Amino acid sequence: DRQPSCIATSSSNLEQNLMASTTNQSKCTFCERYTCGNCMNTCEECNYVFCTLCSTTNYVPGHDHLERTTCLDCASMLDLQRTEMMEG
C-alpha cells in the first residue's frame, strides 16, 4: 500500500510539529501523523478527525446511495452491532 505524499513519515516529533505549523497540516487522532486538511476525515460517530489511512467510507445499511465516513474503531463497532442485529 502506498501512503499519500501529504502524510508525514518523519519519526521526529519536532520535525513533524515544525512541518505542521508551516504547512497548515493537522494531526490524526489515531496514528498521530500530520497530514493536509484535504486528507482528513471527521468520523460521523465519534466526531474526531482522522487521516485517510485511519478512516473509511461505507454505504449506510438500507440506503445504498448514502455514504458514511467513520474511523476504523467506529467502523468495527458498527459492523459488530450490525452482525448482532442480524443474528438476534
Side-chain angles (χ1 to χ4, degrees):
D1 289 321
R2 290 196 57 210
Q3 195 165 259
S5 60
C6 59
I7 294 180
T9 56
S10 170
S11 60
S12 165
N13 286 335
L14 181 58
E15 287 177 33
Q16 288 181 7
N17 289 335
L18 179 60
M19 184 174 68
S21 65
T22 59
T23 61
N24 198 23
Q25 292 189 338
S26 298
K27 189 175 185 179
C28 174
T29 303
F30 186 75
C31 70
E32 298 185 344
R33 288 188 178 125
Y34 286 91
T35 188
C36 71
N38 291 334
C39 293
M40 297 300 279
N41 294 313
T42 301
C43 175
E44 294 181 32
E45 284 294 310
C46 66
N47 293 315
Y48 288 111
V49 179
F50 298 88
C51 70
T52 54
L53 299 176
C54 297
S55 60
T56 185
T57 301
N58 293 308
Y59 290 107
V60 175
H63 303 280
D64 292 339
H65 60 282
L66 296 176
E67 292 181 340
R68 174 182 222 169
T69 301
T70 58
C71 66
L72 299 178
D73 286 339
C74 288
S76 294
M77 178 191 65
L78 291 169
D79 286 342
L80 181 61
Q81 288 175 349
R82 194 173 310 116
T83 301
E84 288 173 351
M85 278 180 49
M86 292 174 71
E87 291 176 353

